[in-house]
Amino acid sequence: MVDYRAQIERAKQHFGEILEQQLMRVEDIKEQGDFIDYRSLEKIIIGVVGGDGIGPAITHEAQRILEFLLVDEIESGKVEFRKVEGLTIENRIAQRKAIPDDVLAELRKCHVILKGPTTTPSKLDPHPNVESANVAMRRELDLFANVRPVRVPSEGIDWIFFRENTEGAYILGSLGIDVTDDLAVDFKVITTQGSERIVRLAFEYADRNGIDRVTAVTKANVIKTTDGKFLEVAYRVASEYPHIRFDDWYIDIMTAKLIDKARRTEFRVFVLPNLYGDILTDEAAEFQGGVGTAGSANIGKRYAMFEAIHGSAPRMVKEGRAQYADPSSIIRAGAMLLDHIGWQERAKRLHMALDICGQYEKRLVMTGRSTGATGSEYADYIMSTLILDDLEQKWQAYQNRAF
Ligand code: IPM
Ligand code: MG
């Protein structure tokens, strides 16, 4: 028998360090106050991060629309847009950091961030293996709730996903250990406090919006300790909202139920650990027209970041097609940003314009190549829809026709 004692000791030490960090994180969560109140700020700083690949092109279009909607506030100094440079794969690799320190410092000076997709190297890529900028940003700014709505009125689909964003299989995704050449171990972390804050946010959302059902998705029958804790906490929080129905499903059958046309329309609010949320939200977005159409909000108590849910599509850039990339997802994220910082009415109009242009009227379509519109033409189309006097009536008419 080979003597593995040294390797095991090394792994134990690594594990010990991880536990210390995680216990400190739990203490930090316990000490957190309430959500920031944007109304009380003299100035709201919106950081804009272009990202990689098609990111800068589509983010530019989203910023253009937001600036159009906030023109008075920019003028009066209530809102400032601030470009944050340097979150590119080249710079991240050069500095061997998921988020270079100076970039993180700039991000911390903003209140909310609009972020284009950033390239995430996989372990098998030739790049040095830097961590995903998304995952790092969610952790560094403690953006614990990943909120992703998916709506397909013609199919009766009206879902919103509350994906836990700072724990689960992700938080230590870059801190797994090769104990020996043959044995690799990753870690998954779930905490009481981390579960409670995301479940509560989902219930509060349901409560505020008159939604009478919340559904948790785990694999607690197999992953008993961590998913088990998430579920236990979910049931405890649910008991505080007796007027809201709560049920729980396993991730495997839930991926199946999402394609069950007879059943899927009954679900409204989902709450789930990180990796399951990652998978289920891509599946869900597909019904709405693909990940290119879905927006994503990453919400914490102090910061919030809004992003496209798709990748950076480096191939489109290589083939000279970046200007044909669909900006809908990041514009959707922009609408969520507006809603979050207090301009609900304008956010609603932007959502309606996106629905009309993307799902119903489709006067311009994006094909990703020169056979379709450019992102900039499409953004103009959205803006011209946005300013229609009868926008709401038009949107309502489409909704009614859908059923
Ligand atoms: C998402 C993305 C990210 C994730 C990647 C890019 C790390 O897929 O936002 O869903 O897995 O969270
Ligand atoms: Mg994903």
Side-chain angles (χ1 to χ4, degrees):
M1 166 88 187
V2 188
D3 184 357
Y4 287 118
R5 266 177 302 182
Q7 286 95 324
I8 292 173
E9 277 314 311
R10 191 177 62 94
K12 277 194 203 163
Q13 196 182 343
H14 180 72
F15 190 47
E17 283 161 18
I18 284 173
L19 295 183
E20 263 171 41
Q21 284 164 15
Q22 291 306 307
L23 287 168
M24 265 162 51
R25 194 174 63 82
V26 169
E27 292 309 313
D28 287 347
I29 302 180
K30 282 188 196 162
E31 271 162 30
Q32 264 171 7
D34 218 342
F35 285 93
I36 188 170
D37 177 8
Y38 296 97
R39 276 167 312 184
S40 70
L41 298 174
E42 219 162 274
K43 172 186 278 197
I44 303 175
I45 301 172
I46 304 177
V48 180
V49 174
D52 296 306
I54 59 171
I58 58 172
T59 308
H60 174 75
E61 298 309 328
Q63 181 176 350
R64 209 154 63 80
I65 293 181
L66 291 185
E67 283 174 344
F68 171 71
L69 283 167
L70 293 170
V71 63
D72 293 340
E73 287 74 15
I74 295 171
E75 182 102 332
S76 74
K78 172 77 191 166
V79 169
E80 178 192 327
F81 279 85
R82 192 179 284 180
K83 255 211 158 54
V84 178
E85 309 278 0
L87 198 69
T88 59
I89 186 70
E90 296 79 15
N91 193 30
R92 292 164 55 219
I93 286 176
Q95 305 211 25
R96 305 232 165 200
K97 281 251 161 132
I99 304 178
D101 294 342
D102 54 333
V103 178
L104 188 57
E106 284 308 305
L107 291 174
R108 285 193 200 278
K109 292 183 197 151
C110 304
H111 297 102
V112 289
I113 298 156
L114 183 68
K115 182 186 142 306
T118 42
T119 299
T120 304
S122 106
K123 192 174 176 188
L124 306 181
D125 283 350
H127 297 306
N129 196 19
V130 292
E131 189 189 22
S132 150
N134 293 44
V135 175
M137 199 183 296
R138 292 166 185 169
R139 188 186 55 235
E140 293 297 333
L141 303 181
D142 200 24
L143 308 173
F144 67 87
N146 190 181
V147 185
R148 297 182 159 176
V150 168
R151 293 185 64 251
V152 191
S154 59
E155 303 267 343
I157 292 175
D158 190 357
W159 298 325
I160 184 158
F161 294 84
F162 288 81
R163 163 188 177 190
E164 203 296 317
N165 218 12
T166 47
E167 304 195 339
Y170 273 63
I171 184 161
L172 301 176
S174 297
L175 294 176
I177 180 161
D178 286 305
V179 181
T180 68
D181 282 347
D182 299 323
L183 176 63
V185 178
D186 268 317
F187 304 98
K188 169 166 170 172
V189 176
I190 299 269
T191 68
T192 304
Q193 288 71 17
S195 306
E196 175 156 352
R197 60 185 183 174
I198 186 73
V199 175
R200 197 169 290 287
L201 201 66
F203 272 95
E204 283 296 310
Y205 177 87
D207 200 28
R208 240 187 2 262
N209 291 281
I211 300 172
D212 62 357
R213 180 162 177 183
V214 172
T215 303
V217 184
T218 68
K219 189 73 188 179
N221 52 340
V222 178
I223 320 287
K224 292 189 198 295
T225 311
T226 46
D227 282 3
K229 175 176 282 298
F230 188 91
L231 200 53
E232 204 176 81
V233 171
Y235 272 99
R236 178 161 55 73
V237 173
S239 71
E240 294 174 34
Y241 299 82
H243 55 292
I244 297 177
R245 242 177 89 200
F246 176 66
D247 56 350
D248 88 86
W249 292 68
Y250 297 131
I251 181 65
D252 49 352
I253 188 64
M254 186 48 88
T255 60
K257 284 298 136 195
L258 287 198
I259 54 173
D260 177 346
K261 291 195 169 167
R263 295 295 303 281
R264 66 183 179 190
T265 54
E266 62 189 56
F267 300 112
R268 294 297 311 281
V269 174
F270 294 90
V271 62
L272 60 184
N274 210 335
L275 182 58
Y276 310 135
D278 179 43
I279 297 167
L280 216 58
T281 53
D282 268 15
E283 185 192 4
E286 194 66 22
F287 302 122
Q288 182 183 270
V291 290
T293 62
S296 169
N298 298 268
I299 313 272
K301 297 214 163 149
R302 165 67 181 80
Y303 298 99
M305 181 265 279
F306 301 80
E307 61 182 340
I309 101 163
H310 53 76
S312 56
R315 183 175 314 146
M316 286 191 79
V317 179
K318 217 184 290 157
E319 293 172 5
R321 294 187 283 119
Q323 74 270 35
Y324 297 106
D326 188 347
S328 303
S329 177
I330 187 100
I331 296 172
R332 191 67 83 178
M336 297 176 82
L337 184 153
L338 271 182
D339 183 75
H340 187 72
I341 60 178
W343 283 287
Q344 279 84 14
E345 195 46 44
R346 293 178 219 183
K348 196 171 139 204
R349 287 182 71 84
L350 181 50
H351 278 298
M352 289 191 291
L354 277 157
D355 289 347
I356 292 174
C357 299
Q359 293 197 23
Y360 308 122
E361 190 182 82
K362 298 184 188 168
R363 211 146 34 80
L364 285 187
V365 283
M366 309 277 321
T367 60
R369 26 193 99 241
S370 55
T371 51
T374 64
S376 170
E377 286 162 351
Y378 199 75
D380 287 343
Y381 174 33
I382 290 171
M383 279 190 275
S384 64
T385 307
L386 200 52
I387 56 173
L388 294 176
D389 285 335
D390 61 345
L391 172 76
E392 185 145 10
Q393 290 90 314
K394 199 166 175 178
W395 182 81
Q396 204 56 57
Y398 279 118
Q399 301 281 298
N400 297 341
R401 199 177 314 163
F403 279 104

